[in-house]
Amino acid sequence: MFASVLIANRGEIACRIARSAARLGLRTIAVYSQADAGALHVRQCDEAHPIGPAPAAESYLVIDRLIEVARKSGAQCIHPGYGLLSENAEFAEACAAAGIVFIGPPPSAIRAMGLKDRAKALMEKAGVPVVPGYHGERQEPAFLKQKAYEIGYPLLIKAVAGGGGKGMRRVDKHAEFEAALEAAQREAVSSFGDARVLIEKYISAPRHIELQIFADGHGNAIHLNERDCSLQRRHQKVIEEAPAPGMSAELRAAMGEAAVKAALAVGYAGAGTVEFIADGSKGLRPDGYWFMEMNTRLQVEHPVTEAITGLDLVEWQFRVAAGERLPLTQDRVPLRGHAVEARIYAEDPARGFLPSTGTLLALQFPGGVRVDTGVEQGSAITPYYDPMIAKMIAHAPTREAALDGLASALERTIAAGPHTNLALLAALCRAEEFRAGQFDTSFIERNMATLGGGSADYAAAAFGAAELLARDMVRIKRSLGRAADVPASPWDATDGFQLSSARALRLPILVDGAPLQAEVKYGPGGAAVAVDGVAAALDATAIPAADAIHVLRQGRQTVVRRADPGSGDLDHASGDGQIRAPMHGKVLVLLVADGERVKKGQRLAIIEAMKMEHALTAPRDGRVAGIAVAAGMQVAESAKLMTIEAIDE
Ligand code: ADP
């Protein structure tokens, strides 16, 4: 076994690797960018070294710098985690050249699977079923369009260098092909520096089923059962589970065999995942699954496999890389109970899952579940990296019990500051159809109306308004020089209150940016606050911020602040036609010019943030005015981009 490891990653996966490494007695060496100087992974390792500025391209992705730190610190091996350099063959080669063991497969295996088109061709040859489509060399738009026609719609355009759902577009109609191709290529270039794409038949009611495989350097390869990762948004996994609902032992064996065949075909070693797409329209069937791609690294969702097998996959990675044989044979791989993982993201499901940045004002997880995280209360979610806050994993004897446990833990999680998807995740765990095993990869999109939480949580808003009032009372008492415990009269308040009836006040508030009024009634029992007739919640938690109260209730966050009549629009979704950047990012394209007439819903500009494209659309019919940005410019969150003026005719 090794004596030391450099972890070439950050966030939760760096912390998770450090945990196993420390247990195995390895000295752990962290690296960090300027944005991560105070990060959890830095503190959890035995030593830490700075590697450059915040953008990953200038720090976590700089191979020479990582090798230099590894050399200086005497690291015997480098664990790349997932993402970043984990599937970079040059990095694996650079490690080897420096005499440091790369925890991963040989560079040749990374290369063989690195490009989706080549991998598909290889798998076809090895006798593994692949999705029908075009994965050849030719890339002229007219040729690809002809191929698309032959394959038939709906279909998917995928970046051959793709990953994480980027550079991927579904096309339903022949007329929409060119636009989708352009968008896919643009995203492919910005994310991977490679515009090439392939085209695939879109499988209806698709389920994403993947096999965890492991191979050692002695010719042994096994699988560690499957995971179902069908619950996705923007083609990215949100909830993963093991085993897959509806999976039979026979089909598991067959898919496992195909996965092992795929790994052996490329001379694999270490942990890997073979992803299949299955036609879920008539249940999982032996003739209804196809190879999609192989990820030549540890996956984000590996903990569900660890839960049902009782194994530590990171430990296995170290052992195999150190030359040991696989500790188990196929027939001895356990499968106990059911595990479900939810990815908790700083993002806003109500606004197209836009990543959300900012300081975590509060962060607390309940017990009874596994939580893998790389942040803590006070950490900032920055625009530089993936906005994941944590992974939460529940394990129980049955799927129902695991889903119940996860839903309840998600609802009891306290995360305030940036928007989070906690409420959506809890709603997913409780969704009847999903629980009945009736779901596919578009489940979230199809059910957003019921999952998204719908209209504002008035009970939480009222609770927040009551907290704002209480805070104001304390301030007023202080400013009047009274002792804090002397009951103050609400009539002392001089700011913003309007008298509406004898013993009621109306307090203008903003609830998630939308103007509302809180009704405050004073009776013998004190103040009672309601919003739209709904009384303040009793089961909410208040997290105070400088100018707002963040109310957490059942996994959902409602931000309540005093409406300041003078300050104009506080939210870029406000009705005055101002278009603001929803987050830090780069303006990729401007689709309109000053003075141009636009229709409500028309696309105005595309902003790229966290390597994903977000289209900004016109909130109303009108005329474009005051364009304040140009393509290529970086913009800060809520920076004004342009205005859509109303046209009076
Ligand atoms: P990436 O490498 O970018 O994650 P994948 O090829 O793994 O891309 O696909 C990601 C997701 O897109 C899959 O999990 C699945 O939901 C969907 N998908 C991929 N290929 C198809 C297809 N041919 N038909 C339907 N859905 C697909």
Side-chain angles (χ1 to χ4, degrees):
M1 184 46 69
F2 306 104
S4 57
V5 58
L6 181 141
I7 301 167
N9 213 303
R10 61 176 304 283
E12 68 88 14
I13 193 61
C15 296
R16 191 261 166 273
I17 293 163
R19 228 164 30 237
S20 288
R23 189 170 54 72
L24 294 169
L26 277 72
R27 177 166 59 93
T28 52
I29 302 155
V31 290
Y32 62 94
S33 72
Q34 274 161 20
D36 279 338
L40 208 53
H41 80 273
V42 169
R43 278 180 283 135
Q44 285 184 353
C45 287
D46 296 319
E47 57 186 86
H49 303 268
I51 47 163
E58 299 167 41
S59 49
Y60 295 105
L61 293 172
V62 183
I63 293 177
D64 293 348
R65 209 162 305 153
L66 290 164
I67 299 288
E68 185 192 313
V69 172
R71 269 216 185 100
K72 274 201 193 136
S73 58
Q76 286 182 347
C77 63
I78 294 186
H79 197 308
Y82 56 69
L84 297 176
L85 291 171
S86 61
E87 293 181 282
N88 186 307
E90 282 104 75
F91 183 51
E93 280 162 353
C95 290
I100 300 163
V101 175
F102 174 76
I103 307 286
S108 56
I110 299 179
R111 285 218 170 85
M113 290 297 187
L115 296 173
K116 288 183 203 285
D117 55 343
R118 253 197 282 167
K120 278 183 82 172
L122 244 166
M123 290 304 106
E124 231 170 2
K125 229 162 83 196
V128 179
V130 303
V131 187
Y134 175 75
H135 49 261
E137 291 291 322
R138 293 186 59 179
Q139 295 288 313
E140 314 90 86
F143 175 82
L144 291 175
K145 191 170 179 183
Q146 174 58 28
K147 281 286 161 201
Y149 181 78
E150 288 163 20
I151 295 160
Y153 294 89
L155 53 78
L156 269 184
I157 303 174
K158 287 185 185 180
V160 304
K166 288 161 203 157
M168 189 149 92
R169 286 290 184 284
R170 177 183 157 154
V171 196
D172 293 324
K173 296 193 198 96
H174 202 49
E176 292 162 2
F177 184 83
E178 278 105 345
L181 178 63
E182 269 170 38
Q185 287 173 328
R186 196 165 51 225
E187 214 167 282
V189 168
S190 85
S191 295
F192 315 110
D194 183 344
R196 286 175 303 152
V197 297
L198 60 81
I199 305 174
E200 249 175 39
K201 180 96 199 125
Y202 189 86
I203 307 297
S204 63
R207 276 176 63 187
H208 175 119
I209 308 240
E210 58 182 36
L211 270 287
Q212 174 70 55
I213 65 102
F214 241 102
D216 62 21
H218 306 273
N220 306 304
I222 60 172
H223 74 83
L224 301 179
N225 307 313
E226 79 284 0
R227 295 183 286 258
D228 190 322
C229 313
S230 300
L231 288 198
Q232 307 180 342
R233 52 112 180 86
R234 293 174 164 240
H235 298 299
Q236 279 186 300
K237 300 159 185 169
V238 176
I239 292 210
E240 302 104 338
E241 59 182 311
M247 176 67 78
S248 68
E250 295 74 40
L251 187 54
R252 174 176 299 123
M255 290 182 78
E257 206 177 298
V260 166
K261 201 153 52 169
L264 290 174
V266 294
Y268 205 79
T273 294
V274 181
E275 297 188 335
F276 294 100
I277 189 155
D279 178 354
S281 57
K282 292 181 215 81
L284 300 176
R285 293 186 326 270
D287 59 349
Y289 67 88
W290 302 271
F291 170 88
M292 252 191 320
E293 64 168 351
M294 178 169 187
N295 290 320
T296 54
R297 54 169 162 84
L298 192 67
Q299 299 270 102
V300 175
E301 59 274 20
H302 75 275
V304 292
T305 299
E306 295 189 321
I308 61 158
T309 59
L311 304 168
D312 179 337
L313 298 197
V314 174
E315 174 181 345
W316 275 39
Q317 285 189 295
F318 281 122
R319 292 197 180 286
V320 165
E324 294 183 26
R325 286 172 183 278
L326 288 180
L328 288 179
T329 49
Q330 187 67 64
D331 53 321
R332 302 196 45 208
V333 172
L335 198 175
R336 284 188 215 103
H338 200 96
V340 190
E341 170 180 287
R343 298 192 191 183
I344 303 172
Y345 279 108
E347 66 182 18
D348 188 356
R351 285 201 284 147
F353 300 97
L354 219 56
S356 182
T357 53
T359 301
L360 285 162
L361 301 171
L363 185 63
Q364 282 168 40
F365 301 103
V369 285
R370 170 174 169 181
V371 175
D372 284 17
T373 186
V375 290
E376 59 195 334
Q377 196 158 309
S379 299
I381 304 293
T382 71
Y384 301 111
Y385 317 111
D386 185 72
M388 190 198 279
I389 296 173
K391 308 187 301 204
M392 185 175 273
I393 304 101
H395 183 216
T398 63
R399 182 170 189 257
E400 286 64 37
L403 285 170
D404 283 343
L406 187 57
S408 148
L410 289 163
E411 283 163 355
R412 286 178 290 136
T413 296
I414 299 213
H419 290 280
T420 76
N421 63 345
L422 276 164
L424 173 80
L425 294 172
L428 280 170
C429 292
R430 298 205 187 279
E432 261 170 51
E433 266 186 285
F434 173 56
R435 294 180 72 110
Q438 287 153 13
F439 61 97
D440 56 50
T441 55
S442 48
F443 184 85
I444 293 181
E445 206 184 322
R446 230 181 12 250
N447 293 289
M448 252 336 259
T450 45
L451 295 168
S455 58
D457 183 349
Y458 290 140
F463 180 87
E467 288 289 316
L468 280 173
L469 274 178
R471 194 158 79 172
D472 286 353
M473 287 308 159
V474 171
R475 282 194 193 138
I476 290 163
K477 278 185 254 176
R478 285 216 188 98
S479 69
L480 293 175
R482 296 186 194 161
D485 58 352
V486 175
S489 157
W491 314 108
D492 289 345
T494 53
D495 51 343
F497 283 9
Q498 293 164 24
L499 195 59
S500 66
S501 71
R503 303 202 76 53
L505 297 168
R506 290 196 167 276
L507 175 67
I509 54 172
L510 290 170
V511 178
D512 293 335
L516 282 172
Q517 297 221 320
E519 303 120 36
V520 190
K521 288 204 172 105
Y522 289 91
V529 183
V531 170
D532 206 28
V534 182
L538 299 172
D539 58 347
T541 304
I543 311 291
D547 65 336
I549 301 285
H550 293 246
V551 183
L552 301 173
R553 182 167 178 251
Q554 292 162 3
R556 185 162 173 192
Q557 179 173 226
T558 303
V559 180
V560 187
R561 40 169 67 91
R562 297 288 291 263
D564 174 4
S567 79
D569 54 289
L570 272 154
D571 190 63
H572 49 265
S574 66
D576 65 353
Q578 298 225 0
I579 307 300
R580 292 174 180 277
M583 57 178 314
H584 292 269
K586 183 168 136 193
V587 178
L588 276 188
V589 266
L590 265 176
L591 300 165
V592 290
D594 261 327
E596 192 175 325
R597 280 188 173 217
V598 291
K599 288 247 161 255
K600 180 175 174 179
Q602 185 176 332
R603 302 202 310 163
L604 306 169
I606 296 175
I607 292 209
E608 185 203 60
M610 299 187 190
K611 303 248 164 159
M612 292 207 297
E613 291 188 5
H614 307 282
L616 303 182
T617 55
R620 62 182 179 202
D621 290 0
R623 199 193 307 274
V624 178
I627 292 184
V629 291
M633 260 173 78
Q634 291 285 340
V635 288
E637 183 171 340
S638 75
K640 204 187 133 192
L641 307 181
M642 66 184 81
T643 306
I644 305 303
E645 293 176 345
I647 306 173
D648 301 316
E649 276 158 326

